[in-house]
C-alpha cells in the first residue's frame, strides 16, 4: 500500500476480493487526515474498497513538509493511483478534497490513462475563474475562526495550545493551497458527477454546487442534505447509499444491497 493512501473498512477492514470490489479513493478537507473517512468506510465496506488519502504533514506523516499547492499535490496523488490493474475506481472528495478529486481526475485525463468511473464531490462549489472569498484566509486567527465556524475540527484541538500547534502547520499549508488555487479552463471530464451539498453550507450554496455540471460532459446529479458544511457526519447512511448508487454501473451484481 502506498504511503499516500490508507485502507479502511468494516470490522477488520475487510473487503470481499472475490467480488472485485471497486476502489473508492477519498480526499479529505483542509486540515483533514485519512482517518476522517473511517466512519464512511465502515458504511461502504465490503461493497467498496475504501482508501483515504493521507496528505503529508499530518498524523503519521506529520514530520513531512505539507504541500501548499493544489496542482503539485494533485500530480503527486495521481502518481500513486494504480490505474493499470483494471480495477474500477472512483473518487470522493469533501471541500478542498473535492477540488483535489477533480484535479487528480484532470491529471489522469491529460496522461491519457483510465480515469475514475465517477466523481462524488461534496461541500464545494464548482470551480470558477474567480477564487472563493472563503478560501482567502491570511492569518492563523482567520483560519482558526473559519475552522470553528465550519465545525470540521475537534474543539479540544483548537483550545489546547500544544495540540493546536501540532495541527496548525497542516492547516496553514492547506489553506495556502486552496487559497492560491486558480481554476484553469480546459477540456471537460467525461465522468459522471454526484454532487453533495448541505442546504445551509456557508461556503457552497446549492446553486454553486449544481454548477459542477458545467465541467463534465457526463450526467451530474446534485443531492441536497439538511445541514451545514460538515453535513456528512449526520447523514452517513444516506451518504453511503448515494455513493453506492453513483458507482452502480461498476458494482458487481452480487454486491447489490
Amino acid at each position: 500500500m502506498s504511503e499516500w493512501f490508507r485502507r479502511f473498512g468494516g470490522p477488520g477492514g475487510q473487503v470481499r476480493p472475490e467480488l472485485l470490489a471497486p476502489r473508492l479513493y477519498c480526499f479529505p478537507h483542509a486540515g483533514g487526515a485519512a482517518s476522517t473517512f473511517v466512519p464512511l468506510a465502515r458504511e461502504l465496506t465490503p461493497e467498496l474498497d475504501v482508501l483515504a488519502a493521507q496528505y503529508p504533514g499530518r498524523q503519521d506523516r506529520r514530520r513531512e513538509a505539507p504541500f501548499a499547492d493544489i496542482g503539485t499535490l494533485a500530480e503527486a496523488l495521481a502518481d500513486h493511483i494504480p490505474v493499470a490493474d483494471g480495477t474500477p475506481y472512483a473518487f470522493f472528495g469533501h471541500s478542498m478534497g473535492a477540488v483535489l478529486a477533480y484535479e487528480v481526475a484532470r491529471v489522469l485525463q491529460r496522461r491519457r490513462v483510465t480515469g475514475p468511473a465517477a466523481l462524488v464531490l461534496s461541500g464545494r462549489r464548482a470551480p470558477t475563474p474567480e477564487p472563493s472569498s472563503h478560501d482567502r484566509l491570511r492569518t492563523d486567527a482567520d483560519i482558526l475562526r473559519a475552522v470553528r465556524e465550519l465545525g470540521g475540527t475537534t474543539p479540544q484541538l483548537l483550545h489546547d495550545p500544544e495540540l493546536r500547534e501540532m495541527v496548525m502547520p497542516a492547516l496553514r499549508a492547506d489553506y495556502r493551497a486552496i487559497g492560491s488555487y486558480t481554476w484553469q479552463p480546459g477540456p471537460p471530464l467525461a465522468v459522471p458527477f454526484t454532487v453533495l451539498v448541505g442546504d445551509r453550507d456557508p461556503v457552497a450554496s446549492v446553486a454553486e454546487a449544481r454548477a459542477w455540471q458545467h465541467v463534465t460532459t457526463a450526467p451530474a446529479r446534485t443531492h441536497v442534505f439538511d445541514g451545514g458544511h460538515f453535513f456528512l457526519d449526520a447523514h452517513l447512511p444516506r451518504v453511503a447509499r448515494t455513493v453506492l448508487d453513483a458507482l452502480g454501473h461498476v458494482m458487481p451484481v452480487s454486491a447489490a444491497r
Side-chain angles (χ1 to χ4, degrees):
M1 176 57 56
S2 163
E3 64 180 349
W4 283 82
F5 290 96
R6 306 289 177 268
R7 177 173 275 113
F8 298 124
Q14 298 300 310
V15 297
R16 292 183 284 188
E18 70 276 11
L19 295 181
L20 298 177
R23 295 187 188 118
L24 181 69
Y25 292 94
C26 299
F27 302 92
H29 58 278
S35 57
T36 300
F37 289 103
V38 168
L40 181 60
R42 288 174 176 163
E43 292 283 333
L44 293 171
T45 305
E47 283 81 1
L48 298 178
D49 182 9
V50 181
L51 301 102
Q54 187 76 302
Y55 312 141
R58 64 216 71 205
Q59 291 187 341
D60 56 339
R61 301 188 73 186
R62 64 185 178 277
R63 298 187 186 279
E64 300 177 48
F67 281 62
D69 177 76
I70 291 292
T72 306
L73 182 53
E75 293 276 356
L77 287 161
D79 288 343
H80 291 83
I81 295 174
V83 298
D85 67 0
T87 303
Y89 69 95
F91 293 162
F92 182 110
H94 181 73
S95 197
M96 183 186 85
V99 175
L100 279 166
Y102 167 70
E103 288 295 342
V104 172
R106 296 179 89 191
V107 171
L108 296 173
Q109 179 174 266
R110 290 194 295 270
R111 294 180 183 180
R112 300 182 183 276
V113 298
T114 302
L119 263 62
V120 183
L121 306 165
S122 171
R124 181 71 191 183
R125 72 174 198 166
T128 65
E130 293 299 320
S132 169
S133 60
H134 295 282
D135 296 336
R136 298 301 174 106
L137 305 179
R138 303 297 186 186
T139 67
D140 285 2
D142 292 337
I143 293 171
L144 290 170
R145 182 167 54 253
V147 169
R148 289 189 183 99
E149 290 173 353
L150 296 178
T153 300
T154 306
Q156 295 93 301
L157 291 179
L158 302 180
H159 291 105
D160 184 304
E162 292 186 8
L163 292 176
R164 188 170 62 240
E165 282 309 304
M166 289 177 62
V167 301
M168 281 309 299
L171 276 169
R172 291 186 195 107
D174 288 355
Y175 273 101
R176 193 177 309 124
I178 197 63
S180 61
Y181 171 70
T182 302
W183 177 64
Q184 298 297 323
L189 295 173
V191 181
F193 287 4
T194 295
V195 181
L196 316 181
V197 63
D199 60 2
R200 298 188 302 280
D201 190 335
V203 301
S205 70
V206 173
E208 289 171 330
R210 290 190 195 279
W212 279 104
Q213 65 187 321
H214 300 306
V215 291
T216 180
T217 59
R221 297 182 175 88
T222 301
H223 299 260
V224 181
F225 292 77
D226 176 47
H229 191 60
F230 287 96
F231 63 88
L232 298 175
D233 300 335
H235 299 285
L236 272 178
R238 182 184 164 195
V239 170
R241 289 194 302 271
T242 303
V243 171
L244 290 172
D245 287 346
L247 273 69
H249 60 299
V250 294
M251 295 289 289
V253 174
S254 53
R257 290 191 169 188

